[in-house]
mmCIF file of all heavy atoms in Angstrom:
data_model
loop_
_atom_site.group_PDB
_atom_site.id
_atom_site.type_symbol
_atom_site.label_atom_id
_atom_site.label_comp_id
_atom_site.label_asym_id
_atom_site.label_seq_id
_atom_site.Cartn_x
_atom_site.Cartn_y
_atom_site.Cartn_z
ATOM 1 N N LEU A 1451 -43.721 -98.738 -29.522
ATOM 2 C CA LEU A 1451 -42.834 -97.599 -29.047
ATOM 3 C C LEU A 1451 -41.544 -97.696 -29.856
ATOM 4 O O LEU A 1451 -40.939 -98.788 -30.040
ATOM 5 C CB LEU A 1451 -42.478 -97.938 -27.635
ATOM 6 C CG LEU A 1451 -41.373 -97.132 -26.960
ATOM 7 C CD1 LEU A 1451 -41.721 -95.569 -26.945
ATOM 8 C CD2 LEU A 1451 -41.004 -97.622 -25.489
ATOM 9 N N VAL A 1452 -41.049 -96.504 -30.280
ATOM 10 C CA VAL A 1452 -39.774 -96.375 -30.919
ATOM 11 C C VAL A 1452 -38.830 -95.644 -30.033
ATOM 12 O O VAL A 1452 -39.144 -94.571 -29.438
ATOM 13 C CB VAL A 1452 -39.941 -95.650 -32.260
ATOM 14 C CG1 VAL A 1452 -38.549 -95.310 -32.833
ATOM 15 C CG2 VAL A 1452 -40.668 -96.543 -33.316
ATOM 16 N N ILE A 1453 -37.630 -96.207 -29.867
ATOM 17 C CA ILE A 1453 -36.555 -95.454 -29.119
ATOM 18 C C ILE A 1453 -35.430 -95.134 -30.099
ATOM 19 O O ILE A 1453 -34.829 -96.015 -30.686
ATOM 20 C CB ILE A 1453 -35.996 -96.332 -27.986
ATOM 21 C CG1 ILE A 1453 -37.162 -96.752 -27.037
ATOM 22 C CG2 ILE A 1453 -34.869 -95.575 -27.215
ATOM 23 C CD1 ILE A 1453 -36.738 -97.764 -26.007
ATOM 24 N N GLU A 1454 -35.149 -93.832 -30.249
ATOM 25 C CA GLU A 1454 -34.148 -93.454 -31.118
ATOM 26 C C GLU A 1454 -32.811 -93.197 -30.289
ATOM 27 O O GLU A 1454 -32.706 -92.203 -29.586
ATOM 28 C CB GLU A 1454 -34.498 -92.107 -31.820
ATOM 29 C CG GLU A 1454 -33.929 -91.882 -33.168
ATOM 30 C CD GLU A 1454 -32.357 -92.028 -33.192
ATOM 31 O OE1 GLU A 1454 -31.877 -93.164 -33.329
ATOM 32 O OE2 GLU A 1454 -31.758 -90.922 -33.136
ATOM 33 N N GLY A 1455 -31.912 -94.227 -30.469
ATOM 34 C CA GLY A 1455 -30.731 -94.192 -29.662
ATOM 35 C C GLY A 1455 -29.505 -93.690 -30.404
ATOM 36 O O GLY A 1455 -28.467 -93.667 -29.794
ATOM 37 N N ASP A 1463 -35.793 -84.641 -33.080
ATOM 38 C CA ASP A 1463 -36.652 -85.539 -32.321
ATOM 39 C C ASP A 1463 -38.181 -85.138 -32.469
ATOM 40 O O ASP A 1463 -39.013 -86.010 -32.413
ATOM 41 C CB ASP A 1463 -36.199 -85.617 -30.972
ATOM 42 C CG ASP A 1463 -34.889 -86.394 -30.824
ATOM 43 O OD1 ASP A 1463 -34.831 -87.525 -31.386
ATOM 44 O OD2 ASP A 1463 -33.932 -85.930 -30.216
ATOM 45 N N GLY A 1476 -45.554 -94.455 -29.847
ATOM 46 C CA GLY A 1476 -44.821 -93.728 -28.872
ATOM 47 C C GLY A 1476 -43.304 -93.466 -29.377
ATOM 48 O O GLY A 1476 -42.854 -94.154 -30.196
ATOM 49 N N TYR A 1477 -42.724 -92.418 -28.713
ATOM 50 C CA TYR A 1477 -41.335 -92.118 -29.168
ATOM 51 C C TYR A 1477 -40.575 -91.659 -27.910
ATOM 52 O O TYR A 1477 -40.884 -90.828 -27.173
ATOM 53 C CB TYR A 1477 -41.400 -91.007 -30.186
ATOM 54 C CG TYR A 1477 -40.013 -90.640 -30.684
ATOM 55 C CD1 TYR A 1477 -39.359 -91.314 -31.703
ATOM 56 C CD2 TYR A 1477 -39.316 -89.471 -30.217
ATOM 57 C CE1 TYR A 1477 -38.144 -90.920 -32.197
ATOM 58 C CE2 TYR A 1477 -38.061 -89.044 -30.661
ATOM 59 C CZ TYR A 1477 -37.517 -89.847 -31.737
ATOM 60 O OH TYR A 1477 -36.266 -89.457 -32.268
ATOM 61 N N LEU A 1478 -39.401 -92.228 -27.847
ATOM 62 C CA LEU A 1478 -38.414 -91.754 -26.822
ATOM 63 C C LEU A 1478 -37.094 -91.486 -27.494
ATOM 64 O O LEU A 1478 -36.757 -92.225 -28.544
ATOM 65 C CB LEU A 1478 -38.136 -92.816 -25.765
ATOM 66 C CG LEU A 1478 -39.180 -93.107 -24.859
ATOM 67 C CD1 LEU A 1478 -38.806 -94.304 -23.994
ATOM 68 C CD2 LEU A 1478 -39.713 -91.933 -23.955
ATOM 69 N N ASP A 1479 -36.335 -90.423 -27.184
ATOM 70 C CA ASP A 1479 -34.966 -90.312 -27.642
ATOM 71 C C ASP A 1479 -33.997 -90.609 -26.584
ATOM 72 O O ASP A 1479 -34.234 -90.226 -25.433
ATOM 73 C CB ASP A 1479 -34.745 -88.820 -28.235
ATOM 74 C CG ASP A 1479 -35.021 -87.785 -27.200
ATOM 75 O OD1 ASP A 1479 -36.139 -87.473 -26.854
ATOM 76 O OD2 ASP A 1479 -33.973 -87.202 -26.793
ATOM 77 N N CYS A 1480 -32.957 -91.280 -26.923
ATOM 78 C CA CYS A 1480 -32.021 -91.679 -25.921
ATOM 79 C C CYS A 1480 -30.568 -91.453 -26.385
ATOM 80 O O CYS A 1480 -30.063 -91.993 -27.384
ATOM 81 C CB CYS A 1480 -32.209 -93.163 -25.601
ATOM 82 S SG CYS A 1480 -31.024 -93.829 -24.382
ATOM 83 N N VAL A 1497 -32.432 -89.930 -21.498
ATOM 84 C CA VAL A 1497 -33.702 -90.210 -22.178
ATOM 85 C C VAL A 1497 -34.658 -89.008 -22.165
ATOM 86 O O VAL A 1497 -34.855 -88.341 -21.119
ATOM 87 C CB VAL A 1497 -34.383 -91.370 -21.639
ATOM 88 C CG1 VAL A 1497 -35.704 -91.724 -22.509
ATOM 89 C CG2 VAL A 1497 -33.462 -92.637 -21.662
ATOM 90 N N GLY A 1498 -35.260 -88.711 -23.345
ATOM 91 C CA GLY A 1498 -36.338 -87.724 -23.481
ATOM 92 C C GLY A 1498 -37.665 -88.325 -23.865
ATOM 93 O O GLY A 1498 -37.649 -89.176 -24.683
ATOM 94 N N GLY A 1499 -38.671 -87.766 -23.261
ATOM 95 C CA GLY A 1499 -40.057 -88.225 -23.590
ATOM 96 C C GLY A 1499 -40.943 -88.537 -22.430
ATOM 97 O O GLY A 1499 -40.568 -88.147 -21.283
ATOM 98 N N ASP A 1500 -42.132 -89.080 -22.650
ATOM 99 C CA ASP A 1500 -43.101 -89.224 -21.598
ATOM 100 C C ASP A 1500 -42.607 -90.216 -20.497
ATOM 101 O O ASP A 1500 -42.096 -91.295 -20.832
ATOM 102 C CB ASP A 1500 -44.412 -89.747 -22.163
ATOM 103 C CG ASP A 1500 -45.187 -88.654 -22.933
ATOM 104 O OD1 ASP A 1500 -44.778 -87.541 -22.882
ATOM 105 O OD2 ASP A 1500 -46.090 -89.062 -23.704
ATOM 106 N N LEU A 1503 -43.750 -93.831 -20.991
ATOM 107 C CA LEU A 1503 -43.000 -94.648 -21.975
ATOM 108 C C LEU A 1503 -41.596 -94.966 -21.377
ATOM 109 O O LEU A 1503 -41.066 -96.115 -21.614
ATOM 110 C CB LEU A 1503 -42.869 -93.886 -23.196
ATOM 111 C CG LEU A 1503 -44.143 -93.561 -23.928
ATOM 112 C CD1 LEU A 1503 -43.912 -92.644 -25.115
ATOM 113 C CD2 LEU A 1503 -44.895 -94.844 -24.365
ATOM 114 N N VAL A 1504 -41.012 -94.046 -20.708
ATOM 115 C CA VAL A 1504 -39.626 -94.361 -20.051
ATOM 116 C C VAL A 1504 -39.864 -95.550 -19.129
ATOM 117 O O VAL A 1504 -38.931 -96.417 -19.146
ATOM 118 C CB VAL A 1504 -39.113 -93.069 -19.309
ATOM 119 C CG1 VAL A 1504 -37.937 -93.401 -18.543
ATOM 120 C CG2 VAL A 1504 -38.920 -91.943 -20.359
ATOM 121 N N ALA A 1507 -40.003 -98.908 -20.863
ATOM 122 C CA ALA A 1507 -38.719 -99.389 -21.483
ATOM 123 C C ALA A 1507 -37.626 -99.601 -20.473
ATOM 124 O O ALA A 1507 -36.515 -99.961 -20.839
ATOM 125 C CB ALA A 1507 -38.276 -98.485 -22.550
ATOM 126 N N PHE A 1511 -33.329 -100.175 -20.519
ATOM 127 C CA PHE A 1511 -32.366 -99.172 -20.058
ATOM 128 C C PHE A 1511 -31.517 -99.812 -18.913
ATOM 129 O O PHE A 1511 -30.260 -99.593 -18.772
ATOM 130 C CB PHE A 1511 -33.120 -97.974 -19.526
ATOM 131 C CG PHE A 1511 -33.857 -97.145 -20.570
ATOM 132 C CD1 PHE A 1511 -35.119 -96.645 -20.307
ATOM 133 C CD2 PHE A 1511 -33.292 -96.962 -21.868
ATOM 134 C CE1 PHE A 1511 -35.853 -96.043 -21.322
ATOM 135 C CE2 PHE A 1511 -34.041 -96.310 -22.897
ATOM 136 C CZ PHE A 1511 -35.298 -95.823 -22.533
ATOM 137 N N VAL A 1530 -39.319 -84.825 -25.080
ATOM 138 C CA VAL A 1530 -38.788 -85.332 -26.354
ATOM 139 C C VAL A 1530 -37.639 -84.430 -26.718
ATOM 140 O O VAL A 1530 -37.882 -83.175 -26.832
ATOM 141 C CB VAL A 1530 -39.809 -85.479 -27.419
ATOM 142 C CG1 VAL A 1530 -39.194 -85.628 -28.747
ATOM 143 C CG2 VAL A 1530 -40.711 -86.704 -27.035
#
Side-chain angles (χ1 to χ4, degrees):
Chain A
L1451 169 64
V1452 169
I1453 304 173
E1454 209 307 83
D1463 288 310
Y1477 182 84
L1478 295 174
D1479 59 287
C1480 181
V1497 181
D1500 287 348
L1503 297 174
V1504 173
F1511 297 138
V1530 165

